[in-house]
Each structure stands twice: as structure tokens, then as C-alpha cells.
Amino acid sequence: MKVSVDRELCYGSAECAHRAPAVFEFVDGFGVVRPGQDRTDDPGILEAAEKCPSQAILITDAPSSPGRP
């Protein structure tokens, strides 16, 4: 899955970095995805997204295969 943080929504609670530290870090007062971790299956991502008080974590599935909707 692909993960990102919407900086317009994030207000810096650091819940993401607390719940999935291998994927997220706290930089300049905002949660960000660590370099190279934007595509991962880390189980903490779903919990981090669920518990994010500003709902700033965006999770999308991998693009579908050619020929599939």
C-alpha cells in the first residue's frame, strides 16, 4: 500500500510517529513519511491512520494491474 501525510490537515500530534516509527517521523512540527517508506505493508500504518486525530494519513492500494479496473 502507498502511504502519505497531507500537511494541510496535519496539526502535529505525532500519533503516527508513535504508532509506526519505522514509517513516520516528526519533522518541523509535522508528521511525515520516512524516505523510502511511502510503499510498505507495515501493520502499524493502519492503526496510525485510524488514530490520527486530524485524519491526515492517506492510504491507497497499489495501482491495479494492466487490463484490470
Side-chain angles (χ1 to χ4, degrees), residues 5-63:
V5 176
D6 184 335
R7 288 196 60 154
E8 294 293 318
L9 295 176
C10 179
Y11 58 74
S13 71
E15 281 294 317
C16 57
H18 172 71
R19 295 182 186 280
V23 178
F24 301 100
E25 60 185 329
F26 198 62
V27 176
D28 295 330
F30 296 98
V32 297
V33 178
R34 290 181 178 276
Q37 294 298 313
D38 61 330
R39 290 197 175 275
T40 183
D41 289 328
D42 186 304
I45 292 174
L46 296 176
E47 182 181 357
E50 198 174 278
K51 302 293 184 182
C52 177
S54 62
Q55 298 297 293
I57 299 172
L58 307 172
I59 298 174
T60 55
D61 293 325

